[in-house]
Amino acid sequence: GMLTRLVTDYYYGRSIPRLASLGHRRVEGIPAAAVRDAPKAFAAQVLTLAASKVSVSLRHPIDTIEASIASVALREARRSDADLFMYSGYAYESFSALPDRKKLLFKFHPDGDFIRACLNDDDLLSSGSWMPEPEEAGTLRRAGQHARELELADRILCASSFIKSGLVRMGIAPDRIVVVPYGCPEPAEPAVVAEARREGECKILFV
């Protein structure tokens, strides 16, 4: 009951076309009527994917995606008096236009400079084999807006201490940052745990 509006690029049951392959793009408890989509953001991603299928490489459309979702989010925010809980990249327009609202920012990825700083000693970075993350591919104008989002936010949420360390490195006061690790649904059946190895190196994969 706390959610007034969800803005996203595609929501199954709301967005057109209704693609069965994207049936997972919906959340139980959030009705389609509460969602507003950003068709330009979705179309940009479809175009880039289609081009890759025929071996045509297009620049990642991160700027188009962010600008499209940000525009729809601002429109919807102006239609209500709700507070703002927004993803980084989409928040600048609403945060700056509606300064009297409470503003929570979710920083889901580290910024491009922090990614490169962490990979400074990695051979991939200088080999030409490194594929830039979307955060590294954005324009300087959008990068400046990302920095302003951090300044305008009342609180910044992130999902890991790694991202928090990147924010602190940028000069954000630690007491403005809250780490909320990603959750996951409980399994329908108890997991079967294999017997632990008693010898050799234990390797754990986190994706």
Side-chain angles (χ1 to χ4, degrees):
M2 296 178 66
L3 179 67
T4 301
R5 188 73 71 229
L6 170 67
V7 176
T8 186
D9 57 345
Y10 185 93
Y11 195 84
Y12 188 81
R14 168 75 188 183
S15 304
I16 298 174
R18 183 174 295 192
L19 303 173
S21 60
L22 294 177
H24 61 285
R25 297 289 301 272
R26 59 182 172 184
V27 178
E28 185 177 350
I30 301 180
V35 178
R36 296 293 179 268
D37 56 359
K40 289 182 181 178
F42 180 66
Q45 294 171 83
V46 171
L47 178 62
T48 304
L49 179 62
S52 70
K53 299 288 187 183
V54 292
S55 301
V56 175
S57 178
L58 297 180
R59 186 173 180 272
H60 193 284
I62 185 67
D63 286 348
T64 300
I65 295 168
E66 290 187 354
S68 176
I69 293 179
S71 175
V72 176
L74 175 58
R75 182 191 70 201
E76 293 301 317
R78 281 177 165 155
R79 290 176 175 174
S80 79
D81 59 357
D83 293 321
L84 307 173
F85 179 26
M86 308 186 76
Y87 270 44
S88 58
Y90 313 142
Y92 173 74
E93 287 79 357
S94 295
F95 280 11
S96 58
L98 303 168
D100 296 333
R101 308 283 181 93
K102 290 182 180 177
K103 298 175 289 296
L104 299 179
L105 182 71
F106 183 63
K107 182 72 172 172
F108 54 98
H109 285 165
D111 71 286
D113 286 342
F114 188 51
I115 292 172
R116 286 186 288 273
C118 291
L119 293 172
N120 233 1
D121 299 325
D122 197 302
D123 291 339
L124 271 177
L125 200 61
S126 57
S127 68
S129 302
W130 172 249
M131 180 180 294
E133 293 290 322
E135 289 74 22
E136 296 178 86
T139 63
L140 289 175
R141 180 181 67 84
R142 294 301 296 180
Q145 291 182 351
H146 294 176
R148 285 287 291 141
E149 289 175 341
L150 297 171
E151 295 173 8
L152 294 168
D154 297 312
R155 284 288 185 275
I156 302 165
L157 282 69
C158 57
S160 72
S161 56
F162 174 72
I163 295 177
K164 178 178 179 178
S165 65
L167 292 170
V168 172
R169 179 179 179 271
M170 294 172 65
I172 305 298
D175 60 1
R176 292 183 57 216
I177 307 168
V178 180
V179 177
V180 183
Y182 288 122
C184 63
E186 294 185 5
E189 300 291 336
V192 177
V193 180
E195 184 178 349
R197 292 190 204 174
R198 299 185 182 280
E199 298 179 0
E201 183 181 359
C202 177
K203 297 182 179 179
I204 299 172
L205 173 66
F206 173 76
V207 179

